[in-house]
Each structure stands twice: as structure tokens, then as C-alpha cells.
């Protein structure tokens, strides 16, 4: 078995990305960097690195597809997808690869990811409803995992297919997992490999509830993609029941309680309209002030 890494970039912290690359020098895993930044990111790259730049931003899904296709076409049997701010080490990768190989012997596996330690709450992230099914003391079976730290094989990718480019960014990782479930594959999460992770810019409590606070434009994709995915039979019912009823409250909180409320409200409403009309791809307008 041989494994490579795909890192998707968008105006990244150069120092962190460089340290991530340097951390895999010893194990000589090939690294593919797919950069959606408007300008090229200047990094010190070894012969094990391949860099692609797309100044017009092709989205996370397509960037992952580009990196995965490159690795698998160049002989890699497995790959790990990382975000530009992932706190992922070579030891984590080696441990996940060993676990993946063990699971392949007895399960039809599509993907394996680390447990996630939320840097906002300083706690291990566990689903409130979907807690997963323990396989043994080191691994549990789950419905979905996030993209950061996701390990998948060339064979699974060829059957499940590419990440859905029409979603562009939000929901891409979960959709692929659910599609894999529909095809009879299983998704696993390691209990022994744990990765610190920061999702969104902040956490804010409003009316006793905790909301993620990210960039306003992300609200467009989140709203639109909820409506796109909710139409599909293979998307879990619990996910639909969680996200669809929350739409009015989410609008109120972002429009009236968060900074840049006018901009946030605009993106949510546009996402609602485009989601109802089933539009896909990159948002078709200039950013709002």
C-alpha cells in the first residue's frame, strides 16, 4: 500500500502549510497542493510535491477531485484529504493507513477519518443522535466524516465517484459518504487517532443555543446545499429533520444578532432562492458589502 496527501488551499497561512508539508518529508508521501487562491501561494516544495493553481477558484469539491485523480493515476492506492489548516501529522497518517488496511480485510470500506477534538469547546466531537457503532476499541462505524483527515482508497473512489462539484464547498464530504453508504460501503472513524480541528471562525451563543460564525458568503452555500441535498433519498432523514426546521432561526440569528447582518441575510436569502430553483456551482454574483 502507498498513500499520498491532497491539501486544498485558499489564501492560507503559509507558515502552517509549510510545516504540514515538511512534516511528511521523512515518510516521503507525495503531496498534491491544489490552490484556489487568486494569487499563487509561495512555498518551498520538494520533489514529492505537486502544485496546481486555479485563480478563478474551482471550489473544494473539484480541487479534491484534481488532487485525488493525480495521486491515483500516479500509482497511489490510498490518499488523505486535508484542509489548509489541518493539524495532521505523519504519525496520524501512518496509523490511519494501518487501520484502513485492517478494515479492508473484513469490510467494504469507503473512507476512514480521525476522531475530531474541537478547538472551540476543547472536547471530542461526538454526534448527539448519530454516535456511531463501535467495531472494536479503536474504530467505530459512522454515517459520515468531515473531509479534513479523510482517507479513501483508489478502488472506493472509482466506484463511489468524484466529489460533487456542483455543491462547490459545503456538504461535499457528507454527500460523498452518504452516496457511498447507498452503494453498500461503510464509513469509519478512528478512536485511537484524534485530530484537533477548528471549524468556522467562532462559536456564539444566542438564546441559549450555540451557532457557528463563519464568513458571510459561506451562508449562501450552506443554505443552498441544504435545500439541494434534502431532496435526495439517500440523505439521512435525521439530517433533514435537523437542518430544514432550523432555517428560520438561522436566518434571524445571522441577520439580527451577528456582525454584517445585512450581508449575512442577503446570502441566506439568495441561497434559499437558488436552493429552491436547484442551482449549482459557484455563486453567480459579485460579493456584497
Amino acid at each position: 500500500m502507498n498513500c499520498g496527501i491532497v491539501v486544498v488551499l485558499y489564501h492560507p497561512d503559509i507558515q502552517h502549510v509549510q510545516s504540514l508539508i515538511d512534516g511528511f518529508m521523512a515518510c516521503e508521501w507525495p503531496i498534491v497542493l491544489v490552490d484556489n487562491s487568486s494569487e499563487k501561494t509561495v512555498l518551498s516544495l520538494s520533489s514529492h510535491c505537486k502544485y496546481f493553481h486555479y485563480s478563478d477558484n474551482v471550489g473544494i469539491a473539484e480541487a479534491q477531485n484534481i488532487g485525488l485523480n493525480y495521486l491515483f493515476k500516479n500509482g497511489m492506492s490510498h490518499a488523505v484529504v486535508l484542509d489548509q489548516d489541518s493539524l495532521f501529522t505523519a504519525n496520524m497518517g501512518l496509523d490511519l493507513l494501518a487501520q484502513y488496511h485492517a478494515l479492508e480485510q473484513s469490510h467494504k470500506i469507503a473512507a476512514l477519518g480521525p476522531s475530531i477534538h474541537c478547538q472551540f469547546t476543547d472536547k471530542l466531537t461526538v454526534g448527539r443522535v448519530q454516535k456511531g457503532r463501535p467495531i472494536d476499541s479503536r474504530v467505530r462505524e459512522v454515517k459520515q466524516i468531515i473531509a479534513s483527515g479523510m482517507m479513501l482508497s483508489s478502488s472506493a473512489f472509482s466506484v463511489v465517484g468524484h466529489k460533487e462539484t456542483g455543491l462547490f464547498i459545503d456538504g461535499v464530504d457528507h454527500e460523498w459518504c452518504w452516496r457511498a453508504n447507498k452503494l453498500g460501503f461503510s464509513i469509519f472513524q478512528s478512536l485511537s487517532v484524534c485530530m484537533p480541528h477548528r471549524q468556522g471562525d467562532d462559536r456564539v451563543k444566542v438564546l441559549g443555543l450555540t451557532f457557528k460564525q463563519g464568513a458571510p458568503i459561506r451562508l449562501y452555500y450552506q443554505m443552498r446545499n441544504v435545500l439541494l441535498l434534502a431532496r435526495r433519498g439517500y440523505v439521512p432523514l435525521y439530517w433533514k429533520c435537523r437542518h430544514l426546521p432550523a432555517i428560520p432561526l438561522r436566518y434571524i440569528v445571522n441577520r439580527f444578532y451577528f456582525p454584517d447582518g445585512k450581508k449575512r441575510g442577503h446570502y441566506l436569502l439568495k441561497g434559499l432562492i437558488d436552493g429552491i430553483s436547484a442551482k449549482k456551482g459557484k455563486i453567480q454574483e459579485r460579493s456584497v458589502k
Side-chain angles (χ1 to χ4, degrees):
M1 284 195 308
N2 44 18
C3 189
I5 296 173
V6 177
V7 186
V8 179
L9 306 179
Y10 182 74
H11 304 294
D13 178 334
I14 295 176
Q15 186 175 356
H16 178 78
V17 175
Q18 190 65 60
S19 66
L20 183 64
I21 294 170
D22 295 344
F24 280 86
M25 289 287 288
C27 64
E28 297 186 347
W29 281 17
I31 298 176
V32 182
L33 300 125
V34 187
D35 193 355
N36 278 326
S37 306
S38 53
E39 302 291 335
K40 288 186 176 181
T41 301
V42 179
L43 296 160
S44 177
L45 303 179
S46 71
S47 59
H48 297 289
C49 298
K50 179 68 176 180
Y51 177 84
F52 295 97
H53 180 234
Y54 298 92
S55 60
D56 56 345
N57 190 356
V58 296
I60 282 182
E62 181 60 14
Q64 290 180 5
N65 290 335
I66 290 166
L68 291 168
N69 281 326
Y70 179 85
L71 289 174
F72 294 149
K73 287 178 180 178
N74 282 275
M76 295 297 107
S77 61
H78 296 72
V80 179
V81 177
L82 297 176
D83 295 335
Q84 62 187 22
D85 57 353
S86 295
L87 297 170
F88 194 83
T89 66
N91 285 338
M92 288 181 186
L94 292 168
D95 287 346
L96 277 184
L97 186 58
Q99 287 186 13
Y100 200 111
H101 179 59
L103 286 165
E104 282 180 314
Q105 308 309 307
S106 54
H107 296 81
K108 187 178 179 183
I109 174 175
L112 169 68
S115 297
I116 302 300
H117 185 90
C118 178
Q119 293 181 295
F120 286 107
T121 63
D122 196 27
K123 294 179 180 178
L124 196 66
T125 301
V126 180
R128 293 180 180 178
V129 178
Q130 298 290 324
K131 298 181 183 299
R133 180 175 68 89
I135 300 300
D136 54 38
S137 62
R138 301 183 67 204
V139 179
R140 66 183 167 200
E141 184 176 358
V142 295
K143 290 294 183 182
Q144 69 274 323
I145 54 177
I146 64 173
S148 185
M150 177 189 285
M151 177 177 286
L152 59 157
S153 66
S154 173
S155 57
F157 189 66
S158 66
V159 176
V160 179
H162 286 178
K163 304 295 181 76
E164 187 174 341
T165 58
L167 295 178
F168 197 75
I169 179 166
D170 286 283
V172 170
D173 44 0
H174 286 185
E175 187 282 329
W176 192 87
C177 291
W178 297 330
R179 194 177 351 136
N181 290 156
K182 179 185 176 184
L183 295 171
F185 286 89
S186 295
I187 309 295
F188 296 94
Q189 188 173 48
S190 173
L191 299 173
S192 58
V193 179
C194 184
M195 181 182 73
H197 182 67
R198 180 184 180 94
Q199 189 175 34
D201 296 331
D202 203 357
R203 296 288 188 277
V204 178
K205 273 203 169 185
V206 179
L207 305 174
L209 300 173
T210 301
F211 293 83
K212 296 175 183 176
Q213 183 177 317
I217 196 170
R218 289 289 295 271
L219 294 169
Y220 167 79
Y221 295 106
Q222 291 164 7
M223 174 67 78
R224 186 198 66 182
N225 291 354
V226 162
L227 296 176
L228 290 177
L229 293 172
R231 293 179 168 92
R232 304 180 185 180
Y234 64 88
V235 173
L237 179 61
Y238 79 87
W239 186 88
K240 298 175 186 179
C241 292
R242 176 185 175 188
H243 288 277
L244 289 174
I247 286 175
L249 179 59
R250 195 169 186 201
Y251 177 83
I252 291 169
V253 169
N254 277 277
R255 177 64 181 86
F256 299 106
Y257 287 86
F258 282 0
D260 299 318
K262 184 178 179 180
K263 183 187 292 188
R264 290 176 180 277
H266 168 82
Y267 281 127
L268 281 167
L269 287 176
K270 181 166 177 57
L272 180 68
I273 294 167
D274 286 358
I276 290 171
S277 58
K279 288 186 179 180
K280 295 183 179 181
K282 191 175 182 180
I283 187 172
Q284 295 301 307
E285 71 163 14
R286 294 179 180 178
S287 59
V288 178
K289 295 183 179 180

